[in-house]
Amino acid sequence: MLKHRKKRGIALITILMILAIMVTIATTMTGRMTSSLLRTEGLNFSQKVYWYGQASVELSRMILNNDFEDSDVISLDQIWATPDLIFPVEQGTISGSLKDNRSCFNVNAIGAADKDEVRALPVQQFQALLEALDIEEYAAEVIAESTRDWVDENNTEDAAQGAEDRIYEARSVAYLAANNLMVDISELRAVEGVTGKIFERIKPYLCALPVSDQSINVNTVAIEHSDILYALFKPKYEFSQEDFETLLEDRPSNGWSSVDDFLATGLLSGETISSELKEQLNVTSDFFELYGIAEFEKRLMALKVLFEIEDKKAIAIRFQYAGVE
């Protein structure tokens, strides 16, 4: 009798162990299946929001192409300049805005060397812009010269206030000067003299284009960024910052039709403008940046796309995911 009870006890324990193992296996399988379903759902949502993002790129391309077909002059009264466009789509929205990247100061244009001991004009202009933005004179000179050393091709300091590898190698986290064009304006933060506070102050006025020329579209410079035009003229002309603010406030709604028309305005008429400066002015643009946000089922994807205009057609040449601003 006692033996039978022991056998029944062992059998019961065995059954309970098997049951516990089965429950554990079932729980694990359920958890894995749930995770797999959630992962699949997440991938599905990610794909949808990705394609919504691609739709914003194509929409921007169409807008730019249409504006360039209609006019050789680019100005703020055109469709591309409409701020914060929002388009509802199934279970989400597509929104974004286009920025003319020829309405900002291209930092990659200041790599020019001095000639006959005369400081290169683009470097003077960059320093003038920094000073106009309330950066102290010496700090502005250090940043301007160090930026030139960063984007030029040589590894020698063009001025005493410049910075090359020896400066950056001495830092706690060492690195080297790029000696190449900046890919993104955030790269400026690595340049000698550019503190976080200074960077946030000057960032809205700057851009880093994949070319080394300076071409400012006088039709698209924002009134609040009139210091960009002031900086271009400052090395050789005695105008005030307020002069250019007033000039842009009086700008025709559809912009100036040519650079000559711009230079014939009351402020600039009668001035002899050098060919070097005149080449930096334009009434059209060849680079635009899209900042877009695609939303699907409360999932967001922010992106930045750089368009280059070739033969009046917009071509996306740089695509990057971005944070939501």
Side-chain angles (χ1 to χ4, degrees), residues 67-86:
D67 281 337
F68 272 89
E69 281 182 8
D70 294 339
S71 176
D72 291 327
V73 173
I74 295 301
S75 58
L76 295 176
D77 68 329
Q78 295 169 323
I79 297 175
W80 71 265
T82 305
D84 301 323
L85 286 171
I86 300 177

Side-chain angles (χ1 to χ4, degrees), residues 182-184 208-210 289 304-307 315-320:
M182 292 187 186
V183 176
D184 187 86
L209 300 179
E289 184 178 72
K304 286 184 179 180
V305 180
L306 182 65
F307 291 99
I315 302 170
I317 62 172
R318 184 186 300 158
F319 184 102
Q320 64 185 112

Side-chain angles (χ1 to χ4, degrees), residues 223-263:
I223 295 174
E224 59 269 24
H225 291 166
S226 59
D227 287 334
I228 293 173
L229 290 178
Y230 164 78
L232 293 185
F233 284 83
K234 178 65 172 68
K236 296 185 177 181
Y237 302 91
E238 294 299 325
F239 297 117
S240 69
Q241 293 169 256
E242 291 74 19
D243 287 336
F244 285 96
E245 184 176 350
T246 302
L247 177 66
L248 293 184
E249 287 175 348
D250 296 336
R251 177 173 52 197
S253 59
N254 58 347
W256 289 284
S257 60
S258 67
V259 172
D260 288 334
D261 282 348
F262 168 71
L263 295 176

Side-chain angles (χ1 to χ4, degrees), residues 164-178:
E164 284 286 0
D165 290 349
R166 67 179 186 86
I167 299 294
Y168 303 114
E169 287 176 326
R171 296 189 173 181
S172 56
V173 179
Y175 54 93
L176 303 177

Side-chain angles (χ1 to χ4, degrees), residues 95 291-295 299-304 321-325:
S95 61
Y291 176 73
I293 297 178
E295 179 182 0
R299 283 174 167 79
L300 298 177
M301 184 186 75
L303 51 87
K304 286 184 179 180
Y321 293 106
V324 178
E325 297 179 355

Side-chain angles (χ1 to χ4, degrees), residues 124-246:
Q124 295 183 59
Q125 292 169 330
F126 188 35
Q127 181 175 341
L129 176 59
L130 295 174
E131 291 180 20
L133 298 177
D134 301 321
I135 308 302
E136 187 268 328
E137 182 180 356
Y138 179 74
E141 185 176 3
V142 169
I143 293 171
E145 291 294 349
S146 298
T147 303
R148 169 164 60 173
D149 286 335
W150 187 275
V151 301
D152 66 15
E153 296 181 352
N154 62 59
N155 196 29
T156 58
E157 295 167 10
D158 293 289
Q161 291 75 21
E164 284 286 0
D165 290 349
R166 67 179 186 86
I167 299 294
Y168 303 114
E169 287 176 326
R171 296 189 173 181
S172 56
V173 179
Y175 54 93
L176 303 177
N179 291 326
N180 206 340
L181 301 183
M182 292 187 186
V183 176
D184 187 86
I185 194 58
S186 59
E187 197 173 335
L188 185 66
R189 183 65 180 85
V191 171
E192 174 71 7
V194 182
T195 64
K197 184 178 180 180
I198 289 177
F199 179 73
E200 291 303 320
R201 176 73 179 99
I202 65 180
K203 178 184 175 183
Y205 296 78
L206 308 177
C207 50
L209 300 179
V211 291
S212 58
D213 69 295
Q214 191 72 268
S215 179
I216 301 296
N217 186 341
V218 296
N219 288 332
T220 58
V221 176
I223 295 174
E224 59 269 24
H225 291 166
S226 59
D227 287 334
I228 293 173
L229 290 178
Y230 164 78
L232 293 185
F233 284 83
K234 178 65 172 68
K236 296 185 177 181
Y237 302 91
E238 294 299 325
F239 297 117
S240 69
Q241 293 169 256
E242 291 74 19
D243 287 336
F244 285 96
E245 184 176 350
T246 302

Side-chain angles (χ1 to χ4, degrees), residues 302-314:
L303 51 87
K304 286 184 179 180
V305 180
L306 182 65
F307 291 99
E308 183 175 9
I309 308 299
E310 292 185 2
D311 298 325
K312 294 191 173 185
K313 298 295 182 183

